[in-house]
Amino acid sequence: MSAKKSQQEACEAYRAAFPPGELEMFRADPIDRVGIPAVAASLRLKTGTQFATHGHGTTPEEAEASALGKLAESVFTETSLRAHARERGTYRELARTRGPSGVVDPLKLCLPAGSPYHADMELTWVTVTRLTTGEKVLLPEEWVATRSGQLQGRTPLISPITHGQGAGLTHEQALTHGLLELFERDGNGLRTRALDQGVVIDLKDAALGPELQSLLAHCERLGIEIIPKLACTDFGLVGLYVVGRDPALRDQPMALTACGEAADLDRERALHRALLEYAGSRTRKAFANGPLELAEKIAPPGYMDRFLPYLELEDEEPRALQAMADWAQLSAAQMRSLMEQRVLAERGRMPFASLPTTPNPGDARQRADVLVRKLTQAGFDILVADMSPTNHSVVSLKVIVPGLEAETMSDHRIGERGVAKLLARQDPLAGLGKPPEGAQRVRLTPEAEERLGGPTWFHSRLAEAIVGRLYALYREPERHTAQLMPRQRRYGGDPS
């Protein structure tokens, strides 16, 4: 089957599986001069709930499939969790009745430093599946949810995140998508954005495929300097990200903050995915967070009247909303200056050919098998929450791997891997022993503390200072809300 036919089949399947509502899709890439196909999608259910996503790709069909796949992840998680049974109890009592393998110890789930969690705290749990055995396992609901409104418990240990979601026509496609995203976030969390380590991947004399060469040449003709950087090579994968300098851009400062991230077994595939995501990120950030007047010019007639009334600023994370609203006031020159300080900095180079790779790792099933094997051989447990519609016409999963980490600099979530990385590079963000002022103890199992050499701490106050004005690189509010915020009377703006 050709790629185009496969993408069309996926689009038809997603459309048919969605619950009743108003689906709206259109090309958003005209807002940016790069011109790589990008699609803005939204679905308004009859219940009044609205979902919005963006997709990108080398072709319009690929971009549409990308947008619908992300929409499927959001929609089906929402509808599935609503009907998902909950169980309330403490970890201690559940581990006693179900056995330690039947319930996940929250201390293995990368809690925020200083978390008040203890084994006798009542939590709300959902049932997930252990991938390797099919065993049913209890997991706190906030690790399966993707937004706070889906929670039923009153004492969530973390803010829900979307990391680990995947959708596709098969279980293997969705699983591969979710696993690669977890590898990606675990690998780049302490090496990108405000903690950018500046390791530029040198593409000089690199033997790249024609499609990738064409994409790079297109950006060069536009005067955009593409800067690929290395995040990590953990587990034998390549985790990398792409940022760029665009001296000609004037009317869309948000596009200057674009970044594309990817992790893959094949280094060229990782670079291609990250470069495409960089282009898609330019479009998404300009459309979703830039001036409403420019977004309205490329949207279908009446789009703003249909979309904006469903936005609720009260549902947004206040810090993310404020950070993006602050960015919205910056000129292109001011935004360039902000990005140059860390995000675009270069501190070293590494030849592309020196990165590990597994060329042509096979189809989704073969790639999923390799990824699962790498994790299980390293001692990691893989848990899967099936969020698919009841008829399984498409597959939507949330994958959770206790021990892989995310959201360290935004939510101060950190576990054994993160502490070990910071200690290895002698970073003042972490240390052993009694926490200094402004730091908090990292919540780990006794076994993890023993491996690290004793109790450890994470310097939350220092992390806040390092992130500073770059918080919007970590969390983005809902589409258009940053532009609406100053216009709302309750936020002190002009209501007109």
Side-chain angles (χ1 to χ4, degrees):
M1 181 185 296
S2 69
K4 183 175 181 179
K5 186 174 181 180
S6 175
Q7 289 152 10
Q8 290 174 339
E9 181 182 336
C11 290
E12 292 171 2
Y14 288 135
R15 288 174 180 271
F18 287 141
E22 183 182 350
L23 176 65
E24 183 165 16
M25 300 181 65
F26 54 90
R27 291 281 293 271
D29 50 279
I31 204 168
D32 181 55
R33 67 198 192 96
V34 171
I36 300 300
V39 169
S42 62
L43 177 63
R44 288 175 287 279
L45 302 183
K46 291 186 175 181
T47 59
T49 305
Q50 177 171 263
F51 304 89
T53 61
H54 295 262
H56 57 268
T58 55
T59 65
E61 293 81 11
E62 186 178 344
E64 182 175 334
S66 170
L68 287 172
K70 293 174 183 176
L71 200 57
E73 294 168 2
S74 300
V75 172
F76 297 130
T77 296
E78 183 81 15
T79 55
S80 296
L81 263 183
R82 192 180 302 128
H84 208 101
R86 304 310 205 266
E87 183 168 344
R88 289 178 172 81
T90 70
Y91 171 72
R92 192 186 307 278
E93 65 187 17
L94 290 172
R96 184 173 59 248
T97 58
R98 297 175 65 97
S101 66
V103 56
V104 180
D105 185 349
L107 290 177
K108 296 180 179 180
L109 289 169
C110 189
L111 296 172
S115 169
Y117 167 75
H118 56 83
D120 294 311
M121 176 185 289
E122 184 174 85
L123 302 174
T124 302
W125 307 76
V126 295
T127 302
V128 297
T129 302
R130 177 164 287 123
L131 181 70
T132 53
T133 65
E135 179 184 5
K136 299 303 179 183
V137 181
L138 287 180
L139 179 75
E141 64 171 347
E142 50 268 43
W143 269 266
V144 177
T146 56
R147 65 180 188 86
S148 296
Q150 296 166 348
L151 301 178
Q152 294 184 9
R154 297 183 178 180
T155 56
L157 297 175
I158 62 166
S159 298
I161 56 176
T162 61
H163 304 167
Q165 287 188 295
L169 295 182
T170 67
H171 187 274
E172 291 78 16
Q173 287 177 346
L175 178 63
T176 299
H177 185 110
L179 286 173
L180 287 175
E181 186 171 85
L182 292 178
F183 278 118
E184 173 189 308
R185 298 308 174 106
D186 176 80
N188 69 25
L190 295 174
R191 298 185 61 85
T192 65
R193 300 176 177 88
L195 291 179
D196 197 300
Q197 300 299 292
V199 181
V200 173
I201 299 172
D202 193 343
L203 299 181
K204 184 179 180 181
D205 300 325
L208 303 176
E211 193 172 342
L212 186 49
Q213 287 187 37
S214 176
L215 192 54
L216 288 166
H218 174 65
C219 292
E220 185 177 3
R221 285 192 297 272
L222 293 174
I224 299 171
E225 179 188 356
I226 294 299
I227 307 173
K229 293 187 174 185
L230 179 66
C232 73
T233 56
D234 296 353
F235 303 99
L237 278 74
V238 173
L240 52 79
Y241 55 107
V242 170
V243 291
R245 290 189 179 93
D246 186 351
L249 194 146
R250 295 287 182 271
D251 62 345
Q252 285 286 10
M254 289 293 181
L256 298 170
T257 71
C259 177
E261 304 168 336
D264 208 281
L265 296 160
D266 183 332
R267 65 191 179 205
E268 184 164 339
R269 185 185 178 102
L271 178 58
H272 188 240
R273 286 177 52 220
L275 185 54
L276 276 177
E277 187 172 283
Y278 165 76
S281 177
R282 286 176 59 106
T283 292
R284 176 179 56 77
K285 292 197 171 195
F287 180 78
N289 303 310
L292 293 178
E293 295 74 18
L294 295 181
E296 190 169 24
K297 286 182 180 179
I298 62 99
Y303 160 76
M304 291 295 180
D305 292 334
R306 291 187 295 275
F307 189 87
L308 297 185
Y310 287 86
L311 296 179
E312 296 289 347
L313 299 192
E314 297 88 346
D315 293 340
E316 299 298 319
E317 179 194 336
R319 185 180 178 190
L321 182 58
Q322 185 62 59
M324 192 63 77
D326 290 343
W327 273 14
Q329 307 305 311
L330 299 182
S331 66
Q334 291 170 322
M335 191 71 86
R336 282 193 187 89
S337 177
L338 183 61
M339 293 300 109
E340 284 286 350
Q341 296 169 22
R342 294 179 195 162
V343 177
L344 302 180
E346 177 180 338
R347 299 179 180 86
R349 284 191 165 245
M350 178 172 289
F352 181 72
S354 70
L355 301 178
T357 192
T358 306
N360 303 314
D363 60 17
R365 179 182 294 275
Q366 293 168 312
R367 296 171 73 224
D369 287 345
V370 173
L371 297 175
V372 169
R373 186 164 60 250
K374 286 181 176 292
L375 283 171
T376 54
Q377 288 177 346
F380 288 89
D381 196 12
I382 304 172
L383 306 173
V384 176
D386 193 337
M387 301 285 103
S388 308
T390 53
N391 64 1
H392 276 75
S393 55
V394 297
V395 179
S396 179
L397 306 176
K398 178 78 178 286
V399 187
I400 305 98
V401 179
L404 294 187
E405 304 192 16
E407 303 299 326
T408 301
M409 296 303 286
S410 54
D411 288 350
H412 304 164
R413 290 179 56 191
I414 186 166
E416 182 181 359
R417 283 173 61 77
V419 171
K421 291 174 184 178
L422 293 175
L423 292 178
R425 71 188 193 206
Q426 299 182 316
D427 197 303
L429 280 168
L432 288 161
K434 182 180 179 180
E437 184 179 354
Q440 296 175 302
R441 183 173 176 176
V442 178
R443 304 304 314 278
L444 300 171
T445 64
E447 295 80 9
E449 288 189 340
E450 184 177 353
R451 287 190 291 269
L452 291 169
T456 61
W457 49 262
F458 178 73
H459 209 307
S460 304
R461 185 185 299 173
L462 178 58
E464 294 280 351
I466 290 172
V467 171
R469 298 171 68 200
L470 296 179
Y471 188 76
L473 290 177
Y474 292 89
R475 291 282 179 82
E476 292 185 35
E478 179 59 86
R479 182 196 296 177
H480 306 316
T481 54
Q483 292 290 335
L484 284 181
M485 179 180 167
R487 307 180 188 208
Q488 296 294 323
R489 185 186 300 275
R490 58 181 175 277
Y491 287 94
D494 183 352
S496 61

